[in-house]
Amino acid sequence: MAHVPAQERRKQFVEAASRVISEKGVSGATTRAIAQEAGAALASLHYVFNSKEDLLVELVRWAADFNQNVIAETPLPAGSGVATAARTILLMWRSVERPLVFSQFDILLWSMRTELTKNESVLLYERMVEQFGNLLEHAATPKERKSLDFKRLAVRLIVICDGVQFGTLCAGPDYISDAEVVDMFDSVIKTAVKT
Amino acid sequence: MAHVPAQERRKQFVEAASRVISEKGVSGATTRAIAQEAGAALASLHYVFNSKEDLLVELVRWAADFNQNVIAETPLPAGSGVATAARTILLMWRSVERPLVFSQFDILLWSMRTELTKNESVLLYERMVEQFGNLLEHAATPKERKSLDFKRLAVRLIVICDGVQFGTLCAGPDYISDAEVVDMFDSVIKTAVKT
DNA sequence: GTCTATAAAGCGATAGAC
DNA sequence: GTCTATCGCTTTATAGAC
């Protein structure tokens, strides 16, 4: 293997770990399997990471960043309305490839049981609620902005995203259609009003 | 350890495995940890199970049965209306203790990657949709029975259950309130009409 | 059906040459 | 920064006495 800067090598190992986990789970993700997937020697992994746990912690953060970016990069014109915005987010969310979703759920469960990453993952959810809420509020019409509770709306959107993702992972791509997902959220918008 | 019939020992190991997985995940669930949790010698585990995989397969089925029973044992008077029925199911679902939910998600992800159990888990979701649908239809008023699409409704209910469970696991018990969950499903009922 | 002891394989991590 | 080779430990699984 050619020489590669340590910074870049780290990224290669993290992405390799994600692919291995998507296939075999965290329980099957050995350092040997990850190194092979990255096309590097086992010793190279320990050259750039102090331990296997360090690598997984970086994967947790990489996965969290990925999620944040999926949302941040969603194009949402201001004033286009909450329904349109939610539709865009939902479909963007669903377009993430199955293997990646698989590893995301697995590594998230792992992080919840790891002292070093537990709090970060809890914070990830809080930040996601905030981010979704801001996005929806930004896209809302003036009338919607006055009446809707955007934090409630954000939680509802995430609940639907998670439920759809997990169900689709288990039951297959025909579990629920795009139109049905959008329809579900449309129904849920109307009652998320300020109290 | 006293002599215990093999049939009963199997159950003890399966339940011990569930507890260990809820704490450490599938990746941390070693045969030694499971045997210790069950209060038995490691050799006893291999006396009643051919392999560790066999034990996990039985755990997958045990978890699936548990889910089916949670639903089956939910008391739902006929004609009480879909909203009441859904409310009862949602709250029943949420009452499952956190450690059990934790291990259920973990073992379900594991089963999806295991050739022997993959198809069973896909079938579990199909059966759940059917079971939820029947339950809701049974509880429906005559008017609802004519207008509502119970399969669509069942999928929506499961999406919300999964999303709420996973989010609560990650973000904590304050992620979403019971009232909000019920309100969400109420909103979603109205638009799940026959096409 | 229980146990202790151990085999055989795989694991994370390191040494040391290049 | 890369590699091969190997250490020390843990893992699953088995042998054999009780």
Side-chain angles (χ1 to χ4, degrees), chain B residues 85-154:
Chain B
R87 178 187 301 250
T88 312
I89 293 173
L90 285 163
L91 298 187
M92 192 86 166
W93 210 250
R94 284 205 91 182
S95 72
V96 177
E97 321 92 73
R98 186 184 153 92
L100 193 54
V101 176
F102 228 133
S103 72
Q104 297 255 20
F105 274 113
D106 231 55
I107 198 68
L108 190 50
L109 284 176
W110 178 86
S111 77
M112 289 302 301
R113 284 188 276 245
T114 305
E115 217 48 55
L116 211 73
T117 50
K118 204 167 163 177
N119 293 338
E120 288 183 46
S121 291
V122 174
L123 277 172
L124 171 69
Y125 258 79
E126 288 176 16
R127 256 183 300 147
M128 266 178 51
V129 171
E130 205 183 313
Q131 201 180 355
F132 270 91
N134 288 341
L135 228 61
L136 291 172
E137 190 164 7
H138 176 256
T141 61
K143 192 182 162 193
E144 286 174 331
R145 197 160 300 152
K146 277 179 198 156
S147 63
L148 292 177
D149 181 337
F150 292 98
K151 205 202 157 182
R152 278 177 76 192
L153 210 50

Side-chain angles (χ1 to χ4, degrees), chain B residues 18-78:
Chain B
S18 174
R19 288 193 297 274
V20 171
I21 288 175
S22 78
E23 273 184 30
K24 309 189 199 179
V26 173
S27 62
T30 64
T31 50
R32 277 178 164 80
I34 295 167
Q36 189 178 13
E37 175 70 32
L42 173 60
S44 290
L45 192 154
H46 281 101
Y47 179 77
V48 290
F49 290 103
N50 287 328
S51 67
K52 181 186 175 180
E53 192 181 31
D54 274 10
L55 165 57
L56 291 183
V57 167
E58 191 147 314
L59 174 57
V60 169
R61 288 169 187 158
W62 179 82
D65 286 347
F66 178 87
N67 274 318
Q68 302 270 313
N69 287 338
V70 167
I71 312 166
E73 284 165 11
T74 305
L76 289 178

Side-chain angles (χ1 to χ4, degrees), chain A residues 1-103:
Chain A
M1 197 70 191
H3 278 232
V4 172
Q7 191 79 350
E8 199 173 322
R9 256 279 177 267
R10 288 177 77 91
K11 199 181 149 199
Q12 290 177 353
F13 279 122
V14 167
E15 290 175 0
S18 174
R19 289 193 297 274
V20 171
I21 288 175
S22 77
E23 273 183 30
K24 309 190 199 180
V26 173
S27 62
T30 64
T31 50
R32 281 177 166 80
I34 294 167
Q36 188 178 15
E37 174 70 32
L42 173 59
S44 291
L45 192 154
H46 285 289
Y47 179 77
V48 289
F49 291 103
N50 288 328
S51 67
K52 181 186 175 178
E53 192 181 31
D54 274 9
L55 165 57
L56 291 184
V57 167
E58 191 146 313
L59 174 57
V60 169
R61 288 170 187 157
W62 178 82
D65 286 346
F66 179 87
N67 273 319
Q68 302 269 316
N69 287 339
V70 166
I71 311 166
E73 286 166 10
T74 305
L76 288 178
S80 57
V82 167
T84 308
R87 178 188 302 249
T88 311
I89 294 173
L90 284 163
L91 299 186
M92 192 85 166
W93 210 250
R94 284 204 90 183
S95 72
V96 177
E97 321 90 74
R98 186 184 152 94
L100 194 54
V101 176
F102 229 131
S103 72

